[in-house]
Amino acid sequence: MRVYSTLQRTLVELPAPPGPVGIYLCGPTVYQRIHVGNARPYVIFMWLARWLRLRGYEVTFVSNITDVNDKIYAAAPGHSVELADRAADWYIEDTDRLGLGRPDAEPKATETMEDIIAMIAELVAGGHAYEAQGDVYFRVGRYGDYGQLSRQKPDQMEDQEPSSLKKDPRDFALWKATKEGEDTSWESPWGKGRPGWHIECSAMAAKLLGPSFEIHGGGLDLVFPHHENELAQSRAAGQEFAHIWMHNGLLRLTGEKMSKSLGNVATLEAVLDKDQYGWDRETLLLFFMTAHWRKPIDFSPETMMQAHTQVDAFRELFRMKIDRAAWKPPQGWNPDVEAQKFEGVLDNDFNTPDALAILHKARSAWDDEFVRERLGIFGLESLTVDEEAPPEIVELAEMRLSARAERNFPESDRLRDEIAAAGWEVRDVSAEPGYQLVKRD
Ligand SMILES: [Zn+2]
């Protein structure tokens, strides 16, 4: 199993199973409902953890919740604690709807404060950080490898947080003295204050995964400064930290203008909400499969409709009620060869679009068993279960059948619409009972 790592700029092999494989993914800063773009890393790394377990790895997957951050103070002056608590609940609620389970640990910065303060104190003691009027800054100039992750030269680096207290514009805050209007603070050797964002992640990763672990993940937008700073401060503290740095491509909104005019923002909640975007979880998951995790992905009505069409195609396969005993692999379809290819494409940089293509090939060959065994990796096992229509819908379909027999087409059309309004599609088929009911979303 190998994956592309930003740090080495190449594919890096994981140790042989069972590993262990520790994965740390930067989770959301909680001050509002998460955007559908932030659901992408969550989905990719939940899938990756599942796949690695299937391949025999012992995986510990940690994804944090950033509940102390400038953005939270700015969003709710004086009420940051309440907002962070509420938004953390929203995040759990919204991602739960994806049906992929949860990471093994979801630490919060507020629950890791002792470790964070201890790590800062260690950096100060080692000369890697300095105190200035209650703030503590990381001394970038003392860490020779700074820039190794983002491959930036020192003179090209932008000053992320200008402050007259810094000795070098590249230095960044590990600890910030409490400012007016901030309603949370912690006691520290440098006075009352709160940690910077980067040190929170370094401390949470080390607390749960130890000083050395396999994979650190996050969106491509986190390479600099967040991950560059995490790596620098953890290594300066004597830790090996993550070997592999996986950065997922970002989600681009091409239909956003249209949806904003409807008053909708593409939060994960809105995308899955029947009264807003109204996509089902299966469509969203399949949509994420269509792009390689390192590439950008375009979220638009068109691309979501394409994903929905594919979801329907898989559902269709399991509605066909294939007689497995009579099924023979058609020409060009060898399940054993394809099973190896499927493993191969996922083992080689977790290529989900190629895996999806193999599943479609299996679908065309009517190999329902092949598809059923593999859709579950991506949380799509629900596509393999055909839902029975409830009695009231069956009754409407029977009434429609009678109306058609009497050539009462206006009544038959009315009943078709009534069935559709209840979320079902009625199709005329020659086999008994003369119709087929298909669940629509
Ligand atoms: Zn982070």
Side-chain angles (χ1 to χ4, degrees):
M1 176 84 199
R2 51 193 196 153
V3 287
Y4 185 87
S5 172
T6 309
L7 183 60
Q8 294 85 349
R9 293 291 192 280
T10 186
L11 293 166
V12 177
E13 199 76 35
L14 283 172
V21 174
I23 305 175
Y24 183 87
L25 171 68
C26 288
T29 296
V30 281
Y31 63 105
Q32 58 188 16
R33 291 265 181 188
I34 66 157
H35 194 270
V36 66
N38 298 119
R40 192 183 188 198
Y42 177 88
V43 168
I44 289 167
F45 286 90
M46 285 303 299
W47 285 344
L48 180 68
R50 282 172 170 219
W51 179 245
L52 290 171
R53 286 190 179 115
L54 277 175
R55 301 301 271 149
Y57 284 100
E58 281 165 18
V59 178
T60 307
F61 176 32
V62 178
S63 184
N64 73 296
I65 293 174
T66 299
D67 61 349
V68 185
N69 190 291
D70 290 329
K71 285 179 183 165
I72 308 171
Y73 291 118
H79 304 278
S80 74
V81 179
E82 293 94 318
L83 177 64
D85 278 351
R86 196 173 345 125
D89 289 345
W90 287 337
Y91 164 67
I92 303 284
E93 191 183 308
D94 295 346
T95 45
D96 267 351
R97 290 186 61 196
L98 296 168
L100 295 173
R102 303 246 38 109
D104 299 301
E106 296 179 278
K108 288 179 173 175
T110 50
E111 299 162 356
T112 321
M113 210 49 76
E114 262 181 54
D115 303 75
I116 295 169
I117 292 170
M119 190 170 173
I120 299 171
E122 198 185 328
L123 288 167
V124 172
H128 288 285
Y130 56 91
E131 191 262 348
Q133 295 179 27
D135 288 357
V136 179
Y137 294 96
F138 184 79
R139 202 188 301 272
V140 166
R142 202 166 162 225
Y143 179 71
D145 287 332
Y146 194 73
Q148 63 185 323
L149 185 66
S150 58
R151 303 267 168 114
Q152 294 186 84
K153 297 207 170 63
D155 54 345
Q156 295 170 336
M157 286 175 191
E158 229 180 287
D159 187 351
Q160 298 293 320
E161 322 164 83
S163 162
S164 58
L165 300 174
K166 297 202 292 189
K167 293 179 177 164
D168 178 330
R170 296 174 301 163
D171 293 351
F172 55 89
L174 301 176
W175 188 260
K176 302 179 187 189
T178 301
K179 289 184 201 63
E180 209 180 320
E182 293 180 354
D183 56 332
T184 46
S185 66
W186 287 264
E187 294 291 348
S188 82
W190 318 284
K192 276 189 178 222
R194 41 103 181 188
W197 175 34
H198 318 305
I199 196 76
E200 293 176 0
C201 277
S202 278
M204 285 187 270
K207 183 183 181 185
L208 288 144
L209 296 171
S212 166
F213 58 95
E214 288 305 320
I215 300 172
H216 194 310
L220 207 55
D221 53 339
L222 297 185
V223 175
F224 187 85
H226 187 50
H227 287 171
E228 189 74 66
N229 293 352
E230 275 188 44
L231 182 61
Q233 69 209 358
S234 290
R235 292 221 167 145
Q239 301 172 13
E240 203 175 342
F241 211 50
H243 304 148
I244 293 172
W245 291 76
M246 290 175 69
H247 290 105
N248 65 275
L250 302 182
L251 180 137
R252 297 187 295 213
L253 283 161
T254 43
E256 179 77 327
K257 211 183 262 175
M258 185 206 75
S259 56
K260 268 203 177 132
S261 68
L262 295 170
N264 297 339
V265 175
T267 60
L268 176 57
E269 186 206 24
V271 166
L272 297 175
D273 178 8
K274 273 198 165 48
D275 296 325
Q276 299 190 56
Y277 288 78
W279 298 109
D280 56 19
R281 56 175 281 281
E282 289 89 351
T283 297
L284 184 61
L285 292 175
L286 195 136
F287 162 73
F288 284 133
M289 279 183 85
T290 59
H292 192 284
W293 63 271
R294 277 200 273 141
K295 303 268 161 59
I297 189 167
D298 289 318
F299 180 88
S300 73
E302 292 74 29
T303 55
M304 288 301 285
M305 189 46 85
Q306 284 159 13
H308 188 66
T309 305
Q310 296 185 54
V311 160
D312 270 350
F314 283 116
R315 280 210 174 103
E316 229 31 71
L317 175 69
F318 296 96
R319 282 182 186 132
M320 287 201 296
K321 308 268 185 272
I322 294 154
D323 179 0
R324 194 68 201 177
W327 179 84
K328 292 221 164 34
Q331 239 195 342
W333 177 253
N334 181 330
D336 296 334
V337 171
E338 300 294 338
Q340 282 201 2
K341 275 195 208 164
F342 185 87
E343 287 178 2
V345 298
L346 290 178
D347 280 352
N348 188 18
D349 206 18
F350 203 58
N351 191 328
T352 60
D354 281 3
L356 181 60
I358 295 170
L359 292 178
H360 278 301
K361 199 173 166 193
R363 185 180 59 76
S364 302
W366 292 17
D367 193 343
D368 54 346
E369 272 182 16
F370 188 99
V371 177
R372 183 179 285 118
E373 280 169 23
R374 288 166 183 81
L375 276 180
I377 300 161
F378 304 99
L380 294 171
E381 54 274 29
S382 53
L383 300 184
T384 69
V385 191
D386 198 5
E387 222 178 301
E388 293 260 346
E392 61 273 18
I393 302 294
V394 173
E395 193 180 326
L396 291 172
E398 291 288 343
M399 283 162 67
R400 180 175 167 275
L401 203 63
S402 312
R404 279 175 66 84
E406 292 157 15
R407 304 189 68 77
N408 184 352
F409 295 115
E411 176 64 2
S412 143
D413 287 348
R414 192 194 65 75
L415 285 160
R416 174 194 292 273
D417 293 345
E418 197 178 331
I419 292 165
W424 292 80
E425 182 189 328
V426 59
R427 295 174 183 173
D428 300 308
V429 293
S430 51
E432 286 294 319
Y435 60 83
Q436 188 188 14
L437 286 164
V438 177
K439 182 98 171 84
R440 286 289 167 234
D441 326 287

